[in-house]
Amino acid sequence: MQIKELTIYSSKIKEQSEFYAQVLGLPQIEESANKLSFQCGKSILHIEFNADTSPYHFAINIPANKELEALNWLKSKVKILKDGDREIQDFDFWNAKAIYFYDSDQNIVELIARKNLNNPSDQKFGLDQFLEISEIGMPTTDIQKKYDRLARLTGIEIFDGGFERFCAIGDEHGLFICIDKALKDWYPTNDKAFSSAFEIELVEKGKAYRLAYKNGEITALGKPNS
């Protein structure tokens, strides 16, 4: 699964513009009073104004060997979200290492180096090593219902987990992270998980889809824009 475009919502457009354009330095491809767009490797992140929003969790893939360089790069820009004293989280069950930080909306953003992708880089770490948006959180109270809906719409498969507490749906290039928000909070901060609305354009098995997650339900939105 490849996430081509992800749209999230914010009541702090100005602050988010400053964070992504100036603090992180992502290339900005659109800016208006109500919408921002940033290039994030092969993906595009859209942030649209909405006065009524709640936080998100999403992840960005980086090269498999760059977690330490990414940490050092980030520490000059943001506060790292830790698990105890650990700044780099070791997900041995996924053969991956991850770093977390907040943006201006208290969204939990993750940079993740997935060793199984075997995509090391010999270049100094920088924005060109933000490879793609690789996860979007989809908290719910019925994981199986969300998986069944996604599978019917796109044919997508389960990567890891089950229907009780946690289910990662897709593959290491792109995942829906479904958690039961009544049983589980977001790692590593234990922030409450919300069913925050988003839109997504993705490619699964060579076919393009445009979906929305709103009020806890998944709907198809017609043909992708790109």
Side-chain angles (χ1 to χ4, degrees):
M1 174 175 134
Q2 296 176 325
I3 299 174
K4 296 294 189 181
E5 301 188 25
L6 174 66
T7 300
I8 61 175
Y9 299 93
S10 172
S11 62
K12 302 177 180 178
I13 289 291
K14 181 180 178 181
E15 291 89 340
Q16 287 288 62
S17 176
E18 292 174 353
F19 180 85
Y20 283 97
Q22 298 177 26
V23 177
L24 287 189
L26 284 178
Q28 191 161 0
I29 56 180
E30 182 177 347
E31 180 178 17
S32 69
N34 295 310
K35 183 176 180 180
L36 310 168
S37 297
F38 300 93
Q39 194 71 46
C40 190
K42 298 176 182 177
S43 308
I44 297 174
L45 174 66
H46 302 289
I47 304 175
E48 294 189 6
F49 177 78
N50 190 314
D52 183 18
T53 61
S54 51
Y56 298 83
H57 163 60
F58 64 94
I60 299 164
N61 277 350
I62 61 173
N65 62 331
K66 289 296 181 178
E67 67 274 5
L68 184 56
E69 286 186 41
L71 174 64
N72 292 331
W73 183 86
L74 277 172
K75 285 175 76 169
S76 67
K77 302 173 181 295
V78 298
K79 180 181 178 181
I80 305 301
L81 303 177
K82 302 178 183 180
D83 181 356
D85 292 330
R86 293 195 306 272
E87 296 176 314
I88 297 177
Q89 310 312 321
D90 186 0
F91 299 138
D92 55 358
F93 49 92
W94 279 6
N95 195 22
K97 295 184 184 291
I99 309 156
Y100 294 86
F101 58 95
Y102 285 129
D103 68 10
S104 293
D105 270 328
Q106 296 290 102
N107 299 322
I108 299 174
V109 186
E110 173 186 0
L111 299 188
I112 182 165
R114 303 179 193 269
K115 310 301 182 179
N116 293 340
L117 290 181
N118 193 26
N119 59 355
S121 170
D122 58 5
Q123 302 297 311
K124 182 179 179 181
F125 187 84
L127 288 171
D128 59 336
Q129 301 198 19
F130 281 41
L131 302 179
E132 61 197 345
I133 298 172
S134 63
E135 296 178 8
I136 177 61
M138 186 185 283
T140 180
T141 55
D142 192 336
I143 294 174
Q144 183 168 1
K145 181 179 178 182
K146 299 303 172 288
Y147 166 70
D148 289 346
R149 178 66 171 159
L150 285 171
R152 283 197 302 272
L153 288 171
T154 69
I156 201 168
E157 299 176 356
I158 292 174
F159 174 70
D160 188 30
F163 297 140
E164 182 181 353
R165 289 173 56 88
F166 172 91
C167 192
I169 304 166
D171 59 40
E172 290 184 291
H173 289 285
L175 291 165
F176 292 98
I177 304 296
C178 271
I179 64 172
D180 188 321
K181 63 183 181 179
L183 301 176
K184 184 173 171 56
D185 299 321
W186 284 129
Y187 180 83
T189 58
N190 293 320
D191 288 8
K192 179 177 175 58
F194 296 92
S195 299
S196 303
F198 65 84
E199 293 186 13
I200 189 168
E201 293 188 18
L202 63 93
V203 173
E204 170 67 14
K205 296 182 175 68
K207 293 185 178 180
Y209 302 91
R210 186 165 168 250
L211 308 175
Y213 187 54
K214 187 175 182 180
N215 298 324
E217 299 296 332
I218 303 166
T219 56
L221 294 176
K223 293 183 178 180
N225 294 323
S226 53

